[in-house]
Amino acid sequence: MSAGVVRTVKDLVVTVQFDEDSPAIGEIIMVDSPGKTALLVSSLEHNGVATCLNVRSDRTIQKGMAVSRTGKGIEIPVGATTIGRVFDALGGPLDGQPPMDPAQTPVKDILKLPQRGTSFTAAKPDILETGVKVIDFFTPFVKGRKMGIIGGAGVGKTVLTMELIHNVAKGGTGLSFFAGIGERIREGHELYETLQENDLLKNTCMFFGQMNENPVQRALVGVAAVASAEYFRDEESKDILFFADNMYRYVQARNELATILAQIPNEGGYEPTIFSDIKVLQDRLSSNEKGSITAVQTIYVPADDLSDPAVQMIQHELDGIIVLSRKVAEQGIRPAVDLTRTTSSLLTPEIVGEQHYSLSVKAQNLLQKYESLKSIIAIIGENELSPADRSDFAKAKELIQFFSQHMFVTTALNGVPGEYSTRQQTLDGVEKIVGK
């Protein structure tokens, strides 16, 4: 392969001059430096200059060093031997175990989009039970669809995700993938240990690009995890459960890259390609005639502002959203779900059945009435309400308490055993309250 020469080095951005045979965008090129640095080609100019990203933050590159092409993109190991393992964005092991044997492990280019299959809709919606009452009732998980857990800092997004992984993976149906994007390293350790203790690693593959990594790796780790999930869906006809924590950090990492590449931000202050970046990633989390990908994504809300353009953009790609609220968390209710703002387009009689649908309508009416009565009660007191209003207010309070639930993944912290509620038990519990 023909060689280029390093022209400039500015933090993670390296420009390389190729006089002929320029590389392709998305190709990995190697610098002949002491660290044998891998660069990812980000863009090309007509005069043979390639703008590249220093994937591993290697500081041994200097101007004038020779660069060679590889003809390959970022290739990660895929297949059966990767299950139970933990990888970084480039497919390197993070679990202390040896790297995968390239001779025996298939690889996949993470940036290469899969062939468009025929659009696929399951004949009968397949509801996945999570055992978490508030989710099974208000935002039922349907195989092959996307759900979002939205909330500010410290309201329990990661704990709820860990609980879902614990409960759903325990059923042993399909494979679970987890992408840790820009979150705390401690949370990654805790999740790994929880899965190990509960013997759930054998059905799980994990990718981490936590907040200690550079923005290149944080922007790529979600893509790497999706590429691996696609392989199992397309080549091995598996049904995949895909967990991403946190999708907003993906946007943040892309923002940081846009800044160091001196791109002009859009009106919302985000990178210019935010909409297409989110759309491409979300479109890859899809199902086809071979298998399905059911995605659960957490979305951090900056300053608790649900109208943030990035949060809104991600939300539009989802079938249902679970909104976690600081006000609810302050009342000691866990999971701290805001029941009136949590919505799902899948809550229809055709998908969940008549009983579930009519109960959800009654429950939402009670909760909406509860919110409007709260301000009246603050002024005149509960005793001044009409008997009907007082009864509805009491039912709504009982409902809110009913949806509070102890988690399995917090048992080690608070000593309180976790609770699992089947979907039918949840429906029976709600019926008992609203039917009074």
Side-chain angles (χ1 to χ4, degrees), residues 342-391:
T342 293
T343 58
S344 173
S345 62
L346 306 175
L347 204 54
T348 65
E350 296 76 29
I351 293 175
V352 298
E354 281 296 342
Q355 183 203 13
H356 189 159
Y357 176 71
S358 64
L359 282 175
S360 74
V361 172
K362 287 175 189 171
Q364 284 290 5
N365 286 342
L366 278 173
L367 292 163
Q368 294 288 357
K369 192 169 182 182
Y370 173 82
E371 287 301 315
S372 61
L373 287 174
K374 266 201 313 189
S375 52
I376 299 168
I377 288 168
I379 301 165
I380 63 170
E382 200 172 330
N383 292 334
E384 297 300 316
L385 295 176
S386 69
D389 283 352
R390 211 177 316 157
S391 168

Side-chain angles (χ1 to χ4, degrees), residues 31-48:
V31 183
D32 190 14
S33 63
K36 296 288 179 233
T37 314
L39 301 177
L40 175 67
V41 179
S42 173
S43 62
L44 295 168
E45 291 173 33
H46 58 83
N47 57 358

